[in-house]
Amino acid sequence: MRYTNLFIPTMRETPSGINAISHILMLKAGYVRQLAAGLFIFLPLGWRVLNKINIILKEEMERIGAQEISMPILHPAEIWQQTGRWYTIKEEMFRLKDRTGRDMCLGMTHEEIMTWIAAKEIKSYRQLPQIWYQIQTKLRDEARSRGGVLRTREFIMKDSYSFDADEAGLDKSYKMHAEAYHRIFSRCGLKYYQVESDPGIMGDLESHEFMAPTPAGEDDIVICDNCGYYANVEVAKSKLESPPIVNMEFKEVYTPKKKTVKEVSEFLGVDERYFIKSLLVITEKEPVLVLIRGDQELNEKKLARLIGDFYFASAEEALNLIGVEVGYIGPMNQKIKIIADNSIDKDLLYISGANKKNYHIQGINPREHFKAEWFDIRKVKENDKCIKCGNPIEIQKAIEVGNIFKLGTKYSVPLNAIFLDKDGKEKPIIMGSYGIGPARVAAAAIEQNYDKDGIIWPKSIAPFDIEIIPLNLSDKKTVKIAEELYEKVSEIYNSFADRHMEVLIDDREERPGVKFKDADLIGIPIQVIIGEKGLKDGKIEIKKRRTKESKMVPINRAVVEIVNFYYETF
Ligand code: ATP
Ligand code: MG
């Protein structure tokens, strides 16, 4: 394609007030423009990238036998009411009424509608298994739409859904999707991890996220490169050793004005690991006292999975409920429910609040002195020991680019998606749901691949494969060679991408400096530079965008050299 036929509004200035590199570069390089909060326009280059990703998505989905369909974005409320999500999802759902006053919503995802059609059409085990997918718009009134196209209010998603007769079938569909996702993200040139994750609003069964590590990520993931344990911090576990037992006489100790574990630990000269931290939280139903070892931190997501949404009690609420100031609360003699973290060792003696101002109690034994329900509600920290192999773990920031969920019968039961099994019995269909956001994949690819001059696309998702840059258009020879190369390279079959080479020629009447800057900014993998100086020796320059490695090659070998350079680069 010709540059003069393409709308590529590159910018020289870096837009201000924007944090994510991918956001800055997509704007600067003329890939996208922002319409309003969380709403983006994809310009020609941006749309080409999305389409490249979509082709990979389609190929890998069809490879596992998934069938493409298309569903409406506008949904009647009743179906969402039947599964209950009309009520449990709050402001994130766009809702509206049609002209007859009927409640409608804009699809945030399509479990409900997919299950609805399965309920209507699938009657027998003979029709199973099925995998249906679409690449289609979702709408979500996101609270934090930021980071450019990483989190928008309207975005395209590849969402697929599996329908099976039994658990073994679901296992197979789930595994096929995991394998397809590995191929998809590898083909898109991403560095990524498949991590254990919290199924959240999707269900309660097994789920994994595919995470692209980059400092721009909103999630923290635990990585053990020794054994391959990868998990979202929201669910990650680690090994924690107990300190040796220390004998303490069971008694109250005067700790004037010392409230935090750190303060009391320093005051008494006892290691923080011998403390029980008591946190008072309040749910819709009741107050709960949460206990955790003094040197550890609460993982709020883990706790919320156990007790539902909660908040930390204010000083006043604590005083009303327990009768003592925050800082002196302890687990003994409590009437409210207590949830304790497994980091507290039932065989050790601890110090905690005495439920009396300015006092703590030492020598508390969990078996003897209080009753609690025990769970893992601890936040994993960098350098903790891996739960599987015991090696130190690492924590990295990452972007969630895709996820896979086992839904089981969560949607098929309420929507009555029932089939007749081999044994003549009626059973609910066993489902799975699997999502990928192509725009997020593109942005994550930029976050992982850029330099000070601009984007460096992995070649599989670059908007073009090769950019030809004739420097001086008033030089006839330059133009002739450039046009010939444009023709010839465009005819070459690109066996890496399974199509012909896509070539961009910068046929603008611009200074070389402008062309070079734009070429580096938009990030096409291979640049072919045609200048009068080289032509005098019968040569042109070819250059890899990623490494800036370049060489002069004779004109008669140019096509071969360009293609080789392309295949060599990542
Ligand atoms: P997040 O935790 O980041 O909000 P999610 O768990 O809500 O993501 P899903 O609903 O499972 O994500 O969506 C599947 C995929 O769609 C995600 O992995 C991501 O690639 C993409 N996606 C989700 N929300 C957005 C958004 N607001 N903007 C762009 N892409 C998104
Ligand atoms: Mg979300």
Side-chain angles (χ1 to χ4, degrees), residues 22-67:
S22 54
H23 190 185
I24 293 173
L25 287 177
M26 278 181 157
L27 287 170
K28 264 187 106 169
Y31 281 74
V32 298
R33 288 295 182 260
Q34 184 165 351
L35 173 65
L39 297 175
F40 278 83
I41 294 163
F42 283 83
L43 296 174
L45 286 189
W47 195 240
R48 287 181 75 92
V49 170
L50 281 201
N51 279 328
K52 291 270 157 77
I53 297 168
N54 291 346
I55 289 169
I56 294 174
L57 290 172
K58 285 188 188 197
E59 284 177 2
E60 295 302 341
M61 281 295 109
E62 311 233 326
R63 198 156 140 172
I64 61 167
Q67 308 152 69

Side-chain angles (χ1 to χ4, degrees), residues 410-429:
K410 187 177 157 105
Y411 296 90
S412 50
V413 166
L415 288 167
N416 222 8
I418 307 289
F419 71 100
L420 212 53
D421 205 359
K422 274 195 192 89
D423 53 16
K425 286 207 182 88
E426 287 193 335
K427 290 179 185 162
I429 301 175

Side-chain angles (χ1 to χ4, degrees), residues 140 142 150-152 155 157 400-403 405 437 440:
R140 297 182 183 178
E142 296 273 3
L150 282 169
R151 182 178 297 283
T152 52
F155 60 98
M157 195 199 288
E400 180 203 310
V401 283
N403 54 33
F405 295 99
R440 221 186 249 188

Side-chain angles (χ1 to χ4, degrees), residues 236-254:
K237 293 181 178 355
S238 65
K239 272 191 195 145
L240 190 68
E241 275 153 27
S242 282
I245 184 157
V246 168
N247 274 323
M248 296 180 198
E249 191 191 338
F250 179 65
K251 64 167 189 192
E252 260 183 19
V253 282
Y254 182 52

Side-chain angles (χ1 to χ4, degrees), residues 89-107:
I89 295 172
K90 302 278 184 306
E91 294 90 346
E92 215 181 329
M93 186 187 280
F94 283 105
R95 295 165 213 251
L96 65 159
K97 285 188 195 295
D98 71 10
R99 62 167 74 202
T100 67
R102 187 180 184 192
D103 278 322
M104 310 287 286
C105 65
L106 301 180

Side-chain angles (χ1 to χ4, degrees), residues 165-422:
D166 52 28
E167 295 291 337
L170 172 59
D171 279 344
K172 197 172 157 212
S173 300
Y174 190 81
K175 200 159 159 267
M176 283 198 306
H177 271 91
E179 285 165 8
Y181 276 35
H182 281 279
R183 285 192 293 267
I184 288 166
F185 295 121
S186 307
R187 283 183 64 184
C188 289
L190 286 187
K191 180 167 169 37
Y192 69 92
Y193 294 96
Q194 177 181 341
V195 310
E196 292 174 19
S197 68
D198 174 11
I201 62 166
M202 290 301 179
D204 317 304
L205 305 170
E206 189 179 7
S207 70
H208 286 92
E209 289 162 335
F210 287 76
M211 291 283 190
T214 136
E218 288 184 2
D219 283 277
D220 289 308
I221 56 171
V222 165
I223 296 170
C224 175
D225 274 331
N226 186 52
C227 73
Y229 173 68
Y230 305 124
N232 192 312
V233 163
E234 292 177 359
V235 298
K237 293 181 178 355
S238 65
K239 272 191 195 145
L240 190 68
E241 275 153 27
S242 282
I245 184 157
V246 168
N247 274 323
M248 296 180 198
E249 191 191 338
F250 179 65
K251 64 167 189 192
E252 260 183 19
V253 282
Y254 182 52
T255 49
K257 294 193 180 141
K258 306 286 185 265
K259 291 186 174 183
T260 63
V261 168
K262 190 161 176 283
E263 285 164 358
V264 188
S265 146
E266 276 167 11
F267 181 72
L268 297 177
V270 180
D271 188 307
E272 292 187 1
R273 290 176 299 170
Y274 296 101
F275 280 76
I276 293 175
K277 204 168 7 182
S278 308
L279 306 163
L280 183 62
V281 304
I282 297 177
T283 70
E284 243 173 44
K285 228 169 78 198
E286 57 188 351
V288 180
L289 192 64
V290 178
L291 309 180
I292 189 154
R293 199 172 89 179
D295 63 325
Q296 298 297 315
E297 266 180 70
L298 171 69
N299 181 324
E300 295 180 24
K301 287 270 178 164
K302 286 184 182 174
L303 182 62
R305 271 199 297 283
L306 291 172
I307 64 173
D309 286 343
F310 67 85
Y311 66 92
F312 290 96
S314 67
E316 205 184 349
E317 283 170 317
L319 203 55
N320 284 341
L321 285 162
I322 312 273
V324 67
E325 275 179 41
V326 174
Y328 305 106
I329 299 176
M332 289 180 57
N333 305 316
Q334 293 296 0
K335 288 192 192 67
I336 62 171
K337 175 164 157 173
I338 300 183
I339 289 186
D341 180 62
N342 295 330
S343 57
I344 299 168
D345 188 332
K346 295 191 184 93
D347 294 325
L348 297 194
L349 300 176
Y350 289 95
I351 301 170
S352 194
N355 298 314
K356 183 168 151 192
K357 189 168 178 180
N358 291 336
Y359 282 91
H360 282 75
I361 293 188
Q362 66 169 47
I364 301 177
N365 175 253
R367 258 189 256 281
E368 212 180 313
H369 295 116
F370 62 89
K371 278 214 159 45
E373 295 168 40
W374 297 81
F375 293 100
D376 169 32
I377 47 172
R378 177 170 56 92
K379 193 188 260 171
V380 166
K381 292 196 302 247
E382 181 100 19
N383 288 324
D384 276 1
K385 301 250 166 65
C386 172
I387 188 77
K388 290 221 168 119
C389 74
N391 261 46
I393 53 162
E394 208 188 308
I395 295 184
Q396 282 190 25
K397 290 249 170 260
I399 295 173
E400 180 203 310
V401 283
N403 54 33
I404 54 179
F405 295 99
K406 285 188 177 176
L407 300 174
T409 59
K410 187 177 157 105
Y411 296 90
S412 50
V413 166
L415 288 167
N416 222 8
I418 307 289
F419 71 100
L420 212 53
D421 205 359
K422 274 195 192 89

